[in-house]
Amino acid sequence: MADVDIAVVDAGGAVGELIIELLEQRRFPVRRLHALSESQAGEVLRFAGKRITVRDPADFDVDQVQGVLLGDATGATAALAERARAAGCWVVDATAHGRAAGAALQVPGVNAPGAEQRYRACPNPAAVALIHALAPIARLAGLERVHVATYQAVSGAGRAGVEELASQTARLLNAQPLQTRVFERQIAFNCLARIGELDAQGVSAEEAAILADTRAVLELPELALSVSAVQVPVFFGHGLVVHLQTREAVSLGAVREALAAEPALELVEGQGGADYPTAVGEAANQDPVFIGRLREDTAQARSLNFWVVADNVRRSAALNSLLIAEQLARVSA
């Protein structure tokens, strides 16, 4: 893979910082890195032993780079993405803007858009974890229907979500009045049964995104899939309870083998299946998508229940972006 000049937008944000960290960890062939951020322009960060000054994306010359990775969704970001595409750059977008703008959704290891599709996007973070868990089962026995309940970390709302949970927790423990800005109700020590606005059918924006992105990446547009999304007081790591029915009969052992064979997955069962992964203990700041509590549903034929947990910022956004970028850099070399 030839060396590449790239720009990372949201260099000081949660996703952007991790993208830059992973570029170095995975030894991505960076010739020159341009760090961009509206809110942190002028600040200095370190990459590969060098000091890099963060710049404003609004006036960045995209002719300086071959690739762009986007971790935030401001107006300047959207404009930069369009300028980069027009200049012939490949673009990887980890934001909702990319998904709305028609970028090709990709979860490396599950689907692979054509080489001509140089504007690609990460699916919704909860959908990324779900897609990784469903894909091997879909290949093994097909999917008749799927229901998932997600328990989503506040980092899905960015740094502001993390700060609000921390602030509310501290205030409650010190008998101080709460401040609510990011979430519609108190999130500390609480669970919220809605993430985003509701449509005419009562489906939240978050649930609609998970539905659409999962069906698109799995190439199962008619999949009977239902989603209930819940906001929980966890900083990093989305959890999902999955119930599914396969089209064909399949043994639990075969499913276990299929899941264990997937590089992106880590099956956690322990002695007698009693162990299971958690957001704090296993998923936070880790690369795998973890699966536990795998078992047959005795109430319905060909049905399984299991638990999934993954770091929504690292695994589903930053690492997914880097894996896409590695593919684009290879095909563009």
Side-chain angles (χ1 to χ4, degrees):
M1 191 190 309
D3 289 352
V4 183
D5 298 311
I6 64 170
V8 175
V9 186
D10 184 36
V15 176
E17 280 187 352
L18 270 174
I19 287 175
I20 292 172
E21 178 183 318
L22 290 169
L23 283 167
E24 188 165 0
Q25 286 182 3
R26 295 179 64 85
R27 299 183 179 179
F28 191 95
V30 178
R31 182 165 48 215
R32 185 176 182 187
L33 173 67
H34 300 268
L36 310 176
S37 172
E38 281 184 281
S39 61
Q40 293 169 296
E43 296 185 10
V44 176
L45 55 82
R46 298 190 68 84
F47 174 74
K50 299 178 181 179
R51 290 165 57 88
I52 299 173
T53 300
V54 179
R55 299 163 60 187
D56 191 324
D59 56 9
F60 179 70
D61 180 6
V62 294
D63 289 331
Q64 299 179 74
V65 297
Q66 294 81 55
V68 175
L69 296 105
L70 296 100
D72 71 353
T74 65
T77 296
L80 181 119
E82 293 307 314
R83 297 202 311 273
R85 293 174 65 190
C89 301
W90 50 259
V91 177
V92 181
D93 197 332
T95 76
H97 169 265
R99 298 190 286 272
L105 295 174
Q106 184 176 9
V107 175
V110 176
N111 72 324
E116 75 284 354
Q117 293 177 293
R118 293 165 60 82
Y119 183 28
R120 303 188 189 178
C122 298
N124 170 281
V128 172
L130 179 61
I131 288 162
H132 274 298
L134 293 181
I137 301 173
R139 291 193 295 266
L140 179 67
L143 296 174
E144 184 72 29
R145 61 177 182 82
V146 179
H147 175 72
V148 57
T150 70
Y151 301 90
Q152 299 189 204
V154 296
S155 50
R159 284 193 185 279
V162 172
E163 290 168 0
E164 183 151 309
L165 173 58
S167 173
Q168 287 188 0
T169 302
R171 284 177 170 274
L172 283 168
L173 293 176
N174 287 280
Q176 295 177 346
L178 291 182
Q179 294 179 329
T180 299
R181 296 190 179 93
V182 177
F183 304 106
E184 62 177 355
R185 304 184 193 182
Q186 174 186 326
I187 183 59
F189 307 101
N190 200 15
C191 296
L192 309 181
R194 190 187 81 183
I195 305 177
E197 296 302 316
L198 303 181
D199 66 15
Q201 287 73 46
V203 177
S204 74
E206 181 69 14
E207 291 158 355
I210 296 168
L211 288 165
D213 291 0
T214 301
R215 287 169 173 152
V217 174
L218 292 177
E219 298 181 354
L220 295 171
E222 304 302 320
L223 176 63
L225 172 63
S226 62
V227 179
S228 296
V230 179
Q231 193 82 67
V232 297
V234 171
F235 287 110
F236 295 93
H238 286 355
L240 300 84
V241 171
V242 181
H243 169 78
L244 63 83
Q245 185 176 37
T246 58
R247 289 193 179 278
E248 302 172 8
V250 64
S251 71
L252 188 62
V255 172
R256 184 177 287 111
E257 289 179 6
L259 294 173
E262 289 295 315
L265 299 179
E266 186 165 325
L267 193 58
V268 178
E269 292 189 292
Q271 185 66 35
D275 199 8
Y276 58 89
T278 68
V280 174
E282 283 73 30
N285 205 34
Q286 298 299 316
D287 291 345
V289 174
F290 295 88
I291 295 181
R293 300 290 324 279
L294 176 63
R295 61 203 187 277
E296 293 180 335
D297 186 334
T298 57
Q300 193 165 30
R302 310 190 314 281
S303 295
L304 301 170
N305 294 311
F306 54 90
W307 165 250
V308 181
V309 66
D311 189 318
N312 51 299
V313 176
R314 183 182 181 94
R315 169 71 246 187
S316 296
L319 180 56
N320 201 75
S321 293
L322 252 294
L323 293 171
I324 296 171
E326 288 170 357
Q327 290 188 8
L328 285 167
R330 282 194 294 270
V331 300
S332 301

